[in-house]
Structure formats: structure tokens, C-alpha cells
Amino acid sequence: MIQDFSYLYVLDLLGTFVFAISGFLTASDKKFDLFGAAVISLVTALGGGTIRDMLIGSHPVGWMINANYLYAVLGGIVASILFKRHIERLRRTLFLFDSIGIGIFTVVGLQKTLGYDVSPFIAAIMGTTSAVFGGVVRDILSGEVPLIFRKEIYATACFVGGLFYLFLCWLGIGTDWSASITVLLIIGIRLLSVHFKWSLPRMG
């Protein structure tokens, strides 16, 4: 867990907030009730980080020892309820929130994993896990095929971004700058891949 309101910690809370909104909007599209939407928001925002912490042996998981993550989820739920009509008027809002979330969670998850004496390559995988597996749980509970199993560039963008973050750090660029550049890169890859219909080849 990143503490003392460092830049990465603030990014982590922001990612939690936007993923909570993403989850709530997905549940709203599926006509879930308020409780169901809140559950989807929770698992979307915290699911990836929970799986990452379990894999790297970080116990208890982050949100269980820092209530600020739950407050961030609650803030996302409240914002979704209060501004739902305004958000729904904006096309691709769900996509935008999701893209911001995966960018932030990739960097935060990678950085946390590096503190557990694992190789940088594994850290990049854990960063990707942090970013995408909350969405996997969200899609499964919502009755959708998880996005990472479709042809869109999604998890690939996170993994490429994670490797680029490591490269920037290897060059000696500061952590905060590397994080910001990487988040923007991942968001950019997602936006461009959807706009130009980039995709990985299908098997079979």
C-alpha cells in the first residue's frame, strides 16, 4: 500500500474512483438495482488490486487496511447517481473512464509489486492484472464476455505500458513523470486502437 499521499497513492485513489464509476454505469446499463450496482462498482474498483495482492502475498489486501479506498468507491457511486444523466449524455463516457482506470492501475500495481522483490517482467504482469481483472469480474457478473477475451487491444495496452514504464525508470526519469507518461500512453493506445479498429488476430 502506498502511503503518505504520495503521487502514486493519489493516482491509486483516483483510479479506484473512476473504476467505481465505470462499474456503476455498466450495472446501470444492465438495469441492476442499487445494491447490485454498488456491488459491481466495488468489484470493478477493487477486484484487480485484490487479486494482485493475493498473488504477491500482500496481506491483508490494500483496501482492508486503508478505508480511503472504500471511500473512493463510495464517492464514485455517489457521483454516478448524482450526475448519471449528465454522464449518460456524453458518448463513450464508460469507455473513457475505463481507459483512465486501466492506465492508472497498471502503473500503481506494477510499482507496488516491485517492492516485493520480484522481477520487473513479473511486475509488469501484475500491473496488467491490477488493471484488467476488476473488469473481468465486472463483465462476468454482468453476463458479458470479459473484454480481455475479445479482439480489442486492452490488456495488451496495459502490458506494453508497463514495460514502457520500466524503460523510463531505467533511463533515470523520475517516478512521477514516468507514471504520468505511462498512464497517458495506455489511454492513447486504447483510444487509437478503438478509433482505427486495431485488434489482435483471432485464433481459429
Side-chain angles (χ1 to χ4, degrees), residues 65-136:
I65 55 177
N66 187 341
N68 287 333
Y69 291 101
L70 294 177
Y71 296 149
V73 173
L74 179 60
I77 292 172
V78 171
S80 299
I81 294 172
L82 293 179
F83 303 108
K84 182 174 181 290
R85 292 184 180 179
H86 301 286
I87 292 174
E88 288 182 338
R89 291 195 188 108
L90 302 175
R91 301 184 67 180
R92 298 186 178 180
T93 301
L94 178 59
F95 167 73
L96 178 60
F97 278 115
D98 198 62
S99 299
I100 294 171
I102 64 172
I104 293 173
F105 277 1
T106 296
V107 172
V108 172
L110 188 159
Q111 186 63 33
K112 179 172 182 177
T113 304
L114 286 174
Y116 282 78
D117 195 29
V118 300
S119 73
F121 185 77
I122 296 299
I125 294 175
M126 289 297 99
T128 303
T129 298
S130 301
V132 305
F133 271 85
V136 170

Side-chain angles (χ1 to χ4, degrees), residues 121-202:
F121 185 77
I122 296 299
I125 294 175
M126 289 297 99
T128 303
T129 298
S130 301
V132 305
F133 271 85
V136 170
V137 178
R138 173 198 65 202
D139 291 342
I140 290 174
L141 294 179
S142 300
E144 298 286 342
V145 176
L147 192 57
I148 65 169
F149 300 139
R150 303 178 216 167
K151 65 178 183 177
E152 288 188 30
I153 301 295
Y154 189 69
T156 305
C158 300
F159 187 65
V160 169
L163 294 178
F164 188 70
Y165 174 82
L166 293 170
F167 176 67
L168 292 177
C169 291
W170 179 77
L171 290 177
I173 298 176
T175 300
D176 292 353
W177 277 106
S178 297
S180 298
I181 294 169
T182 300
V183 170
L184 291 175
L185 173 66
I186 293 172
I187 295 172
I189 292 174
R190 281 288 291 148
L191 293 174
L192 290 172
S193 67
V194 170
H195 180 76
F196 291 106
K197 296 181 172 27
W198 296 339
S199 63
L200 297 175
R202 289 187 176 183

Side-chain angles (χ1 to χ4, degrees), residues 16-103:
T16 302
F17 176 77
V18 297
F19 256 25
I21 293 176
S22 171
F24 194 93
L25 294 177
T26 297
S28 178
D29 289 342
K30 292 291 184 177
K31 308 300 181 185
F32 287 13
D33 63 18
L34 180 59
F35 178 78
V39 170
I40 296 298
S41 291
L42 186 70
V43 299
T44 304
L46 302 178
T50 298
I51 293 172
R52 174 205 65 217
D53 285 353
M54 292 173 65
L55 289 173
I56 65 176
S58 177
H59 302 296
V61 297
W63 61 269
M64 295 181 69
I65 55 177
N66 187 341
N68 287 333
Y69 291 101
L70 294 177
Y71 296 149
V73 173
L74 179 60
I77 292 172
V78 171
S80 299
I81 294 172
L82 293 179
F83 303 108
K84 182 174 181 290
R85 292 184 180 179
H86 301 286
I87 292 174
E88 288 182 338
R89 291 195 188 108
L90 302 175
R91 301 184 67 180
R92 298 186 178 180
T93 301
L94 178 59
F95 167 73
L96 178 60
F97 278 115
D98 198 62
S99 299
I100 294 171
I102 64 172

